[in-house]
mmCIF file of all heavy atoms in Angstrom:
data_model
loop_
_atom_site.group_PDB
_atom_site.id
_atom_site.type_symbol
_atom_site.label_atom_id
_atom_site.label_comp_id
_atom_site.label_asym_id
_atom_site.label_seq_id
_atom_site.Cartn_x
_atom_site.Cartn_y
_atom_site.Cartn_z
ATOM 1 N N ALA Z 132 20.206 -28.188 8.836
ATOM 2 C CA ALA Z 132 20.713 -26.768 8.898
ATOM 3 C C ALA Z 132 21.910 -26.612 9.688
ATOM 4 O O ALA Z 132 22.217 -27.508 10.581
ATOM 5 C CB ALA Z 132 19.662 -25.821 9.446
ATOM 6 N N ASP Z 133 22.823 -25.666 9.471
ATOM 7 C CA ASP Z 133 23.924 -25.342 10.223
ATOM 8 C C ASP Z 133 23.684 -24.262 11.150
ATOM 9 O O ASP Z 133 23.072 -23.252 10.732
ATOM 10 C CB ASP Z 133 25.135 -24.964 9.266
ATOM 11 C CG ASP Z 133 25.791 -26.234 8.510
ATOM 12 O OD1 ASP Z 133 25.505 -27.439 8.990
ATOM 13 O OD2 ASP Z 133 26.372 -26.029 7.545
ATOM 14 N N LEU Z 134 24.352 -24.304 12.351
ATOM 15 C CA LEU Z 134 24.076 -23.167 13.407
ATOM 16 C C LEU Z 134 25.594 -22.814 13.794
ATOM 17 O O LEU Z 134 26.324 -23.677 14.212
ATOM 18 C CB LEU Z 134 23.442 -23.780 14.652
ATOM 19 C CG LEU Z 134 22.196 -24.528 14.330
ATOM 20 C CD1 LEU Z 134 21.623 -25.250 15.759
ATOM 21 C CD2 LEU Z 134 21.141 -23.810 13.766
ATOM 22 N N THR Z 135 25.912 -21.612 13.705
ATOM 23 C CA THR Z 135 27.104 -21.104 14.030
ATOM 24 C C THR Z 135 27.034 -20.296 15.389
ATOM 25 O O THR Z 135 26.331 -19.347 15.534
ATOM 26 C CB THR Z 135 27.756 -20.121 13.028
ATOM 27 O OG1 THR Z 135 27.847 -20.757 11.758
ATOM 28 C CG2 THR Z 135 29.119 -19.658 13.340
ATOM 29 N N LEU Z 136 27.757 -20.846 16.320
ATOM 30 C CA LEU Z 136 27.802 -20.271 17.660
ATOM 31 C C LEU Z 136 29.141 -19.604 17.881
ATOM 32 O O LEU Z 136 30.261 -20.084 17.782
ATOM 33 C CB LEU Z 136 27.603 -21.317 18.781
ATOM 34 C CG LEU Z 136 26.230 -21.773 19.113
ATOM 35 C CD1 LEU Z 136 25.505 -22.351 17.977
ATOM 36 C CD2 LEU Z 136 26.193 -22.624 20.462
ATOM 37 N N ASP Z 137 29.088 -18.299 18.360
ATOM 38 C CA ASP Z 137 30.328 -17.486 18.693
ATOM 39 C C ASP Z 137 30.855 -17.924 19.981
ATOM 40 O O ASP Z 137 31.929 -17.769 20.213
ATOM 41 C CB ASP Z 137 29.989 -15.979 18.746
ATOM 42 C CG ASP Z 137 29.726 -15.434 17.252
ATOM 43 O OD1 ASP Z 137 30.050 -16.237 16.291
ATOM 44 O OD2 ASP Z 137 29.167 -14.400 17.134
ATOM 45 N N SER Z 138 29.872 -18.311 20.816
ATOM 46 C CA SER Z 138 30.303 -18.679 22.169
ATOM 47 C C SER Z 138 29.496 -19.723 22.834
ATOM 48 O O SER Z 138 28.243 -19.911 22.417
ATOM 49 C CB SER Z 138 30.201 -17.492 23.061
ATOM 50 O OG SER Z 138 30.293 -17.756 24.413
ATOM 51 N N THR Z 139 30.001 -20.577 23.690
ATOM 52 C CA THR Z 139 29.125 -21.506 24.475
ATOM 53 C C THR Z 139 29.006 -21.088 25.912
ATOM 54 O O THR Z 139 28.674 -21.972 26.835
ATOM 55 C CB THR Z 139 29.789 -22.947 24.341
ATOM 56 O OG1 THR Z 139 31.146 -22.886 24.812
ATOM 57 C CG2 THR Z 139 29.691 -23.451 22.888
ATOM 58 N N GLU Z 140 29.171 -19.835 26.182
ATOM 59 C CA GLU Z 140 28.983 -19.409 27.680
ATOM 60 C C GLU Z 140 27.563 -19.541 28.150
ATOM 61 O O GLU Z 140 27.139 -19.745 29.202
ATOM 62 C CB GLU Z 140 29.506 -17.915 27.787
ATOM 63 C CG GLU Z 140 31.026 -17.838 27.607
ATOM 64 C CD GLU Z 140 31.458 -16.360 27.712
ATOM 65 O OE1 GLU Z 140 30.543 -15.507 28.083
ATOM 66 O OE2 GLU Z 140 32.660 -16.054 27.516
ATOM 67 N N GLN Z 141 26.632 -19.352 27.037
ATOM 68 C CA GLN Z 141 25.237 -19.486 27.374
ATOM 69 C C GLN Z 141 24.848 -20.873 27.075
ATOM 70 O O GLN Z 141 25.514 -21.618 26.424
ATOM 71 C CB GLN Z 141 24.379 -18.453 26.460
ATOM 72 C CG GLN Z 141 24.883 -16.999 26.601
ATOM 73 C CD GLN Z 141 24.509 -16.476 27.930
ATOM 74 O OE1 GLN Z 141 23.762 -16.952 28.854
ATOM 75 N NE2 GLN Z 141 25.170 -15.207 28.271
ATOM 76 N N ARG Z 142 23.620 -21.298 27.650
ATOM 77 C CA ARG Z 142 23.027 -22.516 27.429
ATOM 78 C C ARG Z 142 22.282 -22.316 26.147
ATOM 79 O O ARG Z 142 21.864 -21.320 25.697
ATOM 80 C CB ARG Z 142 22.049 -22.933 28.525
ATOM 81 C CG ARG Z 142 22.770 -22.943 29.908
ATOM 82 C CD ARG Z 142 21.905 -23.695 30.931
ATOM 83 N NE ARG Z 142 21.780 -25.223 30.697
ATOM 84 C CZ ARG Z 142 22.696 -26.019 30.836
ATOM 85 N NH1 ARG Z 142 23.795 -25.716 31.554
ATOM 86 N NH2 ARG Z 142 22.470 -27.327 30.673
ATOM 87 N N THR Z 143 21.996 -23.564 25.399
ATOM 88 C CA THR Z 143 21.440 -23.540 24.164
ATOM 89 C C THR Z 143 20.292 -24.591 24.156
ATOM 90 O O THR Z 143 20.413 -25.609 24.624
ATOM 91 C CB THR Z 143 22.443 -23.891 23.036
ATOM 92 O OG1 THR Z 143 23.564 -22.938 23.004
ATOM 93 C CG2 THR Z 143 21.825 -23.835 21.665
ATOM 94 N N TYR Z 144 19.161 -24.143 23.456
ATOM 95 C CA TYR Z 144 17.909 -24.972 23.355
ATOM 96 C C TYR Z 144 17.452 -24.998 22.003
ATOM 97 O O TYR Z 144 17.517 -23.959 21.288
ATOM 98 C CB TYR Z 144 16.956 -24.500 24.248
ATOM 99 C CG TYR Z 144 17.276 -24.363 25.784
ATOM 100 C CD1 TYR Z 144 17.862 -23.129 26.130
ATOM 101 C CD2 TYR Z 144 17.088 -25.343 26.731
ATOM 102 C CE1 TYR Z 144 18.306 -22.914 27.433
ATOM 103 C CE2 TYR Z 144 17.406 -25.131 28.079
ATOM 104 C CZ TYR Z 144 18.138 -23.932 28.471
ATOM 105 O OH TYR Z 144 18.446 -23.825 29.725
#
Side-chain angles (χ1 to χ4, degrees):
D133 287 336
L134 317 174
T135 301
L136 274 65
D137 290 342
S138 166
T139 56
E140 293 179 4
Q141 306 289 350
R142 303 193 68 82
T143 305
Y144 306 84

